[in-house]
Amino acid sequence: MKLLIFIIVYPLIWILSILPMRLLYIISDFFRFVVFDLVGYRKKVVIENLKMAFPDKSDKEIKNIARKFYKHFVDLIFESIKSFTISEKEILKRYKYKNPELVNKLAKEGKSIALVGAHQANWEWSFSLPLVLDTQVFGAYTRLTNKYFEKAVKNSRTKFGIEGLKTSETIKGIHKNYLKKIQGAYILLSDQSPQVHKTHYWTEFFGIKVPIHTGAEILAKRYDFTVINYTVKKIKRGYFETEFELITDSPKDFENYQITDKYLEITERNIKEQPECYLWTHKRFKHKDKYEQWLENRKASQK
């Protein structure tokens, strides 16, 4: 059955992928109408997220951001499909890197790097990072249950030189590289909501107390990674620019969670600049009322 699904669906994806971007965006406009106006996919979640993140904005402003978000969101799906056949020349034209020399200078000094980022603009096309960085780039990915799609997607995401690490084996892979003295840059998106029972740290994000992923900071301190934030901004439809920002090259000098706080500060600032380009369909604030219970459970477990 999985092979049959692949045989039916993959040729359609491939045909879409070879279409010019201009034509893909015409198709995207149609699906934006279906997803937003007809189906209303996760519209309630998106509106609630926006209202919590921007309490000072009017209902009209919130709906306007939501409409722009869905246009961007559906574009992102088709840009991801384009990834299957996009050439090196075209992706470097559409996905520029403002200051890769910051990363390359540190890589030349022998440093391994934690590249922390967020689900902002088009993070999918960051699989082109090996084209501009002078170090091996590693990216975590979630393995698909359909082994045929798994192979196709993996081939697409690694064609420019990125090395994939299964999400469940990322820490093991990093440790293995550390022991073998293999230098590299690790893409670590850390803005989504962790499971409450696995949470070590809560803080405010857009003024709301939420659980926070701290894995990037923990790994940076354990393996002495330089921590660099990379922010993707949308210049215009189909064109993006990534900028790198040093958080620290001495992570062990920081108190616990200070690096995470700095990352969140940068992330929130960038989201506010282009709110329509953030991934509002995930329930980032779903655990906002569970902090007190989490605190009580933690105190009880420490007795």
Side-chain angles (χ1 to χ4, degrees), residues 40-58:
Y41 171 73
R42 290 207 164 199
K43 186 185 283 189
K44 184 178 179 181
V45 172
V46 171
I47 295 295
E48 288 180 351
N49 279 339
L50 288 170
K51 284 183 175 181
M52 285 188 283
F54 304 103
D56 295 334
K57 292 189 181 296
S58 67

Side-chain angles (χ1 to χ4, degrees), residues 63-74:
K63 288 179 181 178
N64 186 45
I65 294 173
R67 183 173 292 277
K68 289 180 179 179
F69 160 73
Y70 275 97
K71 183 180 181 68
H72 168 75
F73 177 66
V74 180

Side-chain angles (χ1 to χ4, degrees), residues 20-272:
M21 292 297 298
R22 182 172 56 183
L23 183 53
L24 275 181
Y25 285 134
I26 292 174
I27 300 171
S28 178
D29 285 338
F30 168 73
F31 278 96
R32 197 282 310 163
F33 171 75
V34 173
V35 171
F36 180 72
D37 293 292
L38 296 184
V39 178
Y41 171 73
R42 290 207 164 199
K43 186 185 283 189
K44 184 178 179 181
V45 172
V46 171
I47 295 295
E48 288 180 351
N49 279 339
L50 288 170
K51 284 183 175 181
M52 285 188 283
F54 304 103
D56 295 334
K57 292 189 181 296
S58 67
D59 288 346
K60 183 179 180 180
E61 288 174 311
I62 292 296
K63 288 179 181 178
N64 186 45
I65 294 173
R67 183 173 292 277
K68 289 180 179 179
F69 160 73
Y70 275 97
K71 183 180 181 68
H72 168 75
F73 177 66
V74 180
D75 278 357
L76 177 62
I77 294 172
F78 282 93
E79 287 160 2
S80 298
I81 290 173
K82 186 65 178 178
S83 299
F84 283 90
T85 58
I86 196 168
S87 67
E88 179 178 324
K89 180 180 179 181
E90 184 169 13
I91 200 163
L92 287 178
K93 180 181 74 173
R94 293 180 172 274
Y95 205 79
K96 294 185 179 298
Y97 293 90
K98 187 174 182 179
N99 56 338
E101 63 275 4
L102 170 64
V103 183
N104 289 333
K105 177 179 180 295
L106 291 158
K108 189 175 181 180
E109 294 171 1
K111 298 288 290 184
S112 280
I113 297 157
L115 286 173
V116 294
H119 292 83
Q120 176 80 357
N122 184 332
W123 62 92
E124 291 287 347
W125 281 358
S126 62
F127 76 136
S128 62
L129 274 164
L131 299 176
V132 298
L133 297 187
D134 300 331
T135 188
Q136 178 63 56
V137 182
F138 299 89
Y141 72 97
T142 301
R143 187 168 186 171
L144 302 177
T145 55
N146 188 313
K147 66 179 181 180
Y148 305 102
F149 277 110
E150 163 71 15
K151 182 178 180 181
V153 171
K154 186 175 181 180
N155 287 342
S156 171
R157 290 182 173 176
T158 59
K159 66 181 177 181
F160 294 133
I162 200 168
E163 184 170 332
L165 295 173
K166 297 175 188 175
T167 301
S168 59
E169 299 177 4
T170 299
I171 296 176
K172 186 187 296 184
I174 290 173
H175 186 68
K176 183 178 179 180
N177 288 344
Y178 177 77
L179 293 177
K180 291 185 175 182
K181 301 186 185 306
I182 296 174
Q183 183 185 353
Y186 298 89
I187 301 173
L188 301 170
L189 302 184
S190 307
D191 57 315
Q192 290 185 304
S193 183
Q195 298 176 37
V196 173
H197 71 278
K198 294 183 178 181
T199 298
H200 299 285
Y201 181 54
W202 293 65
T203 192
E204 289 190 355
F205 186 58
F206 283 92
I208 301 169
K209 198 86 164 182
V210 292
I212 302 296
H213 276 296
T214 57
E217 177 175 334
I218 292 170
L219 291 170
K221 289 183 176 181
R222 182 182 300 169
Y223 299 109
D224 195 29
F225 290 164
T226 291
V227 184
I228 294 177
N229 185 86
Y230 80 101
T231 299
V232 186
K233 292 184 179 179
K234 191 170 190 173
I235 306 305
K236 61 180 180 178
R237 198 176 198 186
Y239 291 85
F240 305 87
E241 183 177 72
T242 294
E243 183 172 6
F244 300 100
E245 182 176 345
L246 177 66
I247 292 180
T248 180
D249 59 358
S250 54
K252 294 179 182 179
D253 293 342
F254 285 73
E255 297 292 331
N256 285 344
Y257 312 125
Q258 284 185 334
I259 293 173
T260 299
D261 285 342
K262 180 63 176 175
Y263 158 74
L264 289 172
E265 177 188 325
I266 295 170
T267 299
E268 187 171 326
R269 181 187 74 212
N270 290 319
I271 292 172
K272 287 178 178 177

